[in-house]
Each structure stands twice: as structure tokens, then as C-alpha cells.
Amino acid sequence: YIFHSMKQRLLSLDFFRGVTVAGMILVNNPGDWGHIYAPLEHSKWNGCTPTDLVFPFFLFMVGVAVSFALSSRREDPTLHKSLILHIFRRAAIIFGIGLAFGLIPKFDFAHVRIPGVLARIAVVYLVISLLYLKTGSKTRIWICAGLLVVYYLLMTLVPVPGVGYPNLEPETNLGAWLDRTILTPDHLWKSSRTWDPEGILSTLPAIGTGLLGIMVGDWVRRKDKPEAEKVAWLFAAGFIAVLAGLIWDGFFPINKQLWTSSFVLFTAGLASMGLALCYWLIDVQGYKKGTAPFVAFGRNAITAYVLSGLVPRIHSIPSSLFMPLLSPLNASLAAAITLVLLMLIPVWIMYKRNIIVKI
């Protein structure tokens, strides 16, 4: 649905989401995959680079947005049926767009990847929205904690069929076995066909990321607390979550590909502190200069991401355009920045006309 939105929005939420989407476009589209600066690459396995923060930040912001979008309507049970239908429809459309991405340009249905970034966004959005509609805050806290603990126990204690022992290696962990068993190798990540970084089992802790975003959204929306106190608690809670993630890293390593429970706490903590900083500077103190381009990305986040996925499939921006003026690394980065700037054009026009595409 395309509509003109005049409703007052939390500017820091749009800004932070916009920074995340711009970062997602940047790291997903280098001019040359053989020449990438280390911070713009995912960690090889355990550990966390700035690039590894992009996707969990986005899912965290999905949770924050769900809190703002559904809070007023969840109090009226007569609206729940239509809301549930809307939630399912929106999740199905996002999932469908993800499948379409996998099909373009060859339309090979026999080998299309079923998991993926948009598929995970769709599932997480669906589950956390339904939980927000039908459960209380304490219940959601227990569900979130339960998902993280159960995932940890499954990955570290359950023997993997065909392997014989629990492990956290790329192709032999329980999640990889489950992906191959249910989805078959033909529908997994094309780079391996033996496991998928957005697989079935690791979606459980990813739901935890979204639920933590809802908790933060509920806290920011509170009217009974001074702004300074809300920001202070967001920083404190974020710091505690980061610390807990680093402690858990000692026996359940921070790992984006497995979306480990320690990774959930570590990244959600950083996201909480990042949003707190943006909220304090932009919404409380009123520092808005220079925020508009990122707000434009944030208000049409899915639109920007979809366009950035389609354009390279039609014609990518090669590093050769910027050589020999730049080194191979800088030429690759320049190509990625160029795509980000190209994607800014349509979302900027939509922003200036106050148009938001709602799926």
C-alpha cells in the first residue's frame, strides 16, 4: 500500500533504521568482492565486525517499530482479527519478495534459496507481532529468555545425526543438519548448499532480537518517565546486555552465521545504546541537521533494500569505473558508495513528498 503519512513519527527511529539500511546496501554491494576493507566484511566465523551488526540492528528496529505501530490498537480486542490478517499478509509479501530475489534472473525454481534476509525479517516480524498482540510484557521477557537458553542447549548438548556429537562448526552443527533435512541442499545458500546463515533453527534466537527491540520500544514510549531517565536506562540496559553477551561468548561464541544467543545479547545491547544516543540527540535535544538523508532511507527501508537488490541483478556497478584513479580497495568502496547514493534518489523524492510505501 502506498500512502501519504502525516502522522508524527519518532525521528531517531527512522534515522537509526536509515543508517542501518544504508550500511546494509553498502556492505552487500562492493565493486569487487576480492577487494573489501576488513570492517566491511563479515567475520569468517566466530567474532563480530561492524558489518555483522547491520542485520541484527535492523531486526531490533523491527521490534521497536512493532511496539510503536501496534501499541494503541492492541488494547481493543475488536481490532485483533483485522490486525492479525494484516500481519500475516505483510509477512507473506516480505517473504514472497525474498523468494523473488532468489529467482531473478534465472527463475530456477528447483534451486531457489528459501531462507534469506527478507525471509528472516518476515518470520521474525510475524512472530513478534503476534506475541505483542496476544501476550503481556512479562510473558514476552520469559519467551525471549527461553528462546536464547533453549537454542544454546540445543546447539551445545544435542548430538547431531550423522555426526554423533554436538558442535558449532559450519557444516556439521545441528542447525545445518536441520536445514539440509527440511529444505534439502537445493534450497540453501548457494555458496555452500550444506548450510544456511539464515536457516531454520537460528531463526529462534533471531526472534529474541526482535523481542528485545519491542522491550526497548515499550520503554521509549512511556509517558511517566523523564526523557533523561529513559535514555540513561537504555544505556544501562544496553551495557548490561553487551557485558552478558561477552560473558556468554566464553562458552557460546558470538557468531553471526549461527546467530548465537551471545550474539543476540551483544548486538541488541549495542543497538539499545545506539538508539538511546540518537533519541537523546535528535528527539530530545533537537539536533536534526544532516539527518534527512538517513531519515529518508529509514522511512522507506524495505523499498530501499529491494531496489538495491534489484539494480545489481540488472547491471552492477564495477570497480573499473574508478580505476586507475583509485586503488582496488578504494575503487571497490567507491562503487558501493555510488549504489547507496543512487538508492538515495528515489527514497529522497518519496521523503520530500511524504510518501511511505507500506507492505
Side-chain angles (χ1 to χ4, degrees):
Y1 308 98
I2 302 178
F3 65 95
H4 292 260
S5 175
M6 299 301 293
K7 185 179 179 180
Q8 183 67 33
R9 299 168 66 96
L10 189 68
L11 197 63
S12 57
L13 174 60
D14 286 329
F15 173 80
F16 194 50
R17 184 167 48 205
V19 171
T20 302
V21 171
M24 192 178 293
I25 297 171
L26 181 75
V27 301
N28 285 348
N29 299 280
D32 179 3
W33 285 100
H35 295 89
I36 308 174
Y37 281 105
L40 300 180
E41 286 192 277
H42 289 292
S43 55
K44 299 303 181 184
W45 194 238
N46 295 333
C48 187
T49 70
T51 298
D52 292 325
L53 299 176
V54 172
F55 193 15
F57 276 21
F58 190 88
L59 283 185
F60 181 87
M61 300 307 287
V62 168
V64 177
V66 164
S67 171
F68 275 84
L70 299 181
S71 58
S72 60
R73 290 175 287 177
R74 69 189 292 265
E75 305 301 330
D76 186 354
T78 62
L79 298 176
H80 284 198
K81 183 177 180 179
S82 61
L83 282 174
I84 290 172
L85 289 175
H86 170 74
I87 290 166
F88 270 98
R89 181 171 53 199
R90 191 179 191 195
I93 292 172
I94 296 173
F95 193 93
I97 293 173
L99 277 182
F101 264 25
L103 290 169
I104 296 172
K106 296 181 179 179
F107 290 91
D108 182 4
F109 287 88
H111 299 90
V112 63
R113 182 190 179 197
I114 294 176
V117 170
L118 288 173
R120 174 157 289 182
I121 291 172
V123 173
V124 170
Y125 165 76
L126 173 66
V127 175
I128 67 172
S129 296
L130 294 177
L131 287 174
Y132 189 68
L133 208 58
K134 293 297 185 180
T135 65
S137 58
K138 290 184 179 179
T139 301
R140 291 192 295 273
I141 291 172
W142 281 108
I143 290 173
C144 180
L147 287 172
L148 299 186
V149 171
V150 167
Y151 182 64
Y152 162 68
L153 296 176
L154 287 173
M155 293 294 287
T156 58
L157 297 181
V158 176
V160 181
V163 178
Y165 57 92
N167 70 93
L168 300 176
E169 297 304 313
E171 298 184 357
T172 57
N173 67 77
L174 187 64
W177 170 81
L178 190 65
D179 290 341
R180 291 193 299 271
T181 303
I182 295 179
L183 299 174
T184 75
D186 288 337
H187 299 293
L188 298 179
W189 191 36
K190 64 181 180 180
S191 297
S192 70
R193 297 295 187 192
T194 57
W195 64 284
D196 200 290
E198 278 81 46
I200 296 170
L201 195 58
S202 61
T203 302
L204 294 178
I207 291 170
T209 298
L211 288 174
L212 289 168
I214 282 180
M215 296 175 201
V216 166
D218 282 348
W219 176 255
V220 173
R221 284 191 307 101
R222 290 187 64 163
K223 303 295 185 183
D224 61 333
K225 300 290 183 182
E227 303 296 353
E229 182 179 343
K230 288 196 287 188
V231 170
W233 276 109
L234 284 177
F235 271 110
F239 178 79
I240 292 170
V242 167
L243 185 61
L246 291 173
I247 293 172
W248 210 343
D249 174 63
F251 47 97
F252 196 30
I254 291 172
N255 185 305
K256 188 263 180 187
Q257 314 282 14
L258 295 176
W259 213 277
T260 52
S261 305
S262 56
F263 177 76
V264 170
L265 294 178
F266 179 73
T267 55
L270 291 177
S272 177
M273 290 189 285
L275 180 59
L277 179 61
C278 294
Y279 178 63
W280 177 253
L281 292 176
I282 297 172
D283 289 302
V284 179
Q285 298 297 318
Y287 296 120
K288 299 176 182 178
K289 187 177 180 179
T291 62
F294 294 109
V295 172
F297 271 118
R299 290 195 176 174
N300 281 288
I302 294 294
T303 301
Y305 180 77
V306 170
L307 289 175
S308 73
L310 289 176
V311 170
R313 283 168 167 78
I314 298 170
H315 193 281
S316 60
I317 300 174
S319 294
S320 56
L321 286 176
F322 304 93
M323 296 174 67
L325 295 176
L326 300 174
S327 67
L329 277 173
N330 288 330
S332 179
L333 177 59
I337 293 174
T338 300
L339 182 61
V340 174
L341 295 176
L342 285 175
M343 293 303 100
L344 177 59
I345 295 172
V347 296
W348 181 259
I349 294 172
M350 295 166 74
Y351 168 69
K352 297 304 287 186
R353 295 184 178 180
N354 209 26
I355 298 173
I356 301 174
V357 176
K358 282 284 188 179
I359 294 173

